[in-house]
């Protein structure tokens, strides 16, 4: 089961022992403190994803909550997360889409809310259906 959380405003995905950063970071991020070698700046501005390399002495890297659990694995997970969450025009992760998937009825800062959510449905939803959801959620109000 893949674990998907946030790192510096981007998405951090752990799948089969590999780690991917999806979308652009929105805040300065200390990759070394998170257990990773800092990626090249060029890789970070693509608005897509980059595979992160754990530091040799990092030990076990934990995806910090809130966490989504998905059953899509490998690089396919990173690609799917780009299509599900990244805004095309700026390469950032949509907070509205993240909140919709993680917590449709209670806020992310609720101390009583579960820190992990089963989001296996997100990996299986057909792309045209999700595109309708994306378009409606991202529509300027």
């Amino acid at each position: 089961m893949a674990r998907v959380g946030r790192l510096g405003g981007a998405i951090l995905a752990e799948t089969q022992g590999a780690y991917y950063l999806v979308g652009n970071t929105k805040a300065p991020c200390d990759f070394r403190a998170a257990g990773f070698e800092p990626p090249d700046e060029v890789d970070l501005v693509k608005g897509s994803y980059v595979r992160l390399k754990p530091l040799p002495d990092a030990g076990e890297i934990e995806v910090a909550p809130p966490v989504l659990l998905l059953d899509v694995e490998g690089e396919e997970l990173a690609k799917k997360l780009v299509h599900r969450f990244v805004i095309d025009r700026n390469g950032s992760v949509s907070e509205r889409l993240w909140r919709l998937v993680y917590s449709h009825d209670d806020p992310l800062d609720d101390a009583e809310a579960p820190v992990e959510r089963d989001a296996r449905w997100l990996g299986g939803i057909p792309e045209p259906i999700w595109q309708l959801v994306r378009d409606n959620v991202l529509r300027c109000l």
Side-chain angles (χ1 to χ4, degrees):
M1 184 81 50
R3 297 175 53 80
V4 177
R6 303 297 295 273
L7 179 63
I11 290 176
L12 175 63
E14 184 276 320
T15 170
Q16 300 173 329
Y19 296 87
Y20 292 91
L21 186 72
V22 177
N24 296 336
T25 56
K26 297 179 184 179
C29 182
D30 186 350
F31 287 98
R32 290 191 182 283
F36 301 105
E37 293 181 15
D40 293 333
E41 291 295 320
V42 173
D43 292 333
L44 287 176
V45 296
K46 289 182 181 177
S48 183
Y49 67 90
V50 61
R51 186 166 179 174
L52 295 175
K53 297 176 188 165
L55 293 169
D57 59 346
E60 187 174 337
I61 298 173
E62 184 177 324
V63 177
V67 172
L68 299 175
L69 302 174
L70 282 91
D71 57 3
V72 179
E73 297 286 353
E75 192 170 359
E76 183 61 31
L77 172 65
K79 291 176 184 177
K80 193 160 289 251
L81 291 171
V82 168
H83 293 295
R84 298 294 193 246
F85 292 106
V86 175
I87 301 169
D88 296 331
R89 72 179 181 279
N90 64 14
S92 295
V93 172
S94 166
E95 296 302 320
R96 286 187 267 173
L97 288 170
W98 177 263
R99 283 184 179 272
L100 174 72
V101 172
Y102 182 80
S103 181
H104 65 279
D105 59 357
D106 47 48
L108 289 175
D109 56 0
D110 181 355
E112 301 298 316
V115 295
E116 292 184 346
R117 296 287 172 115
D118 184 341
R120 289 178 288 180
W121 60 269
L122 184 64
I125 193 168
E127 192 65 36
I129 301 299
W130 183 254
Q131 193 60 46
L132 289 171
V133 172
R134 269 183 68 94
D135 291 347
N136 281 309
V137 170
L138 296 179
R139 183 177 300 151
C140 294
L141 301 175

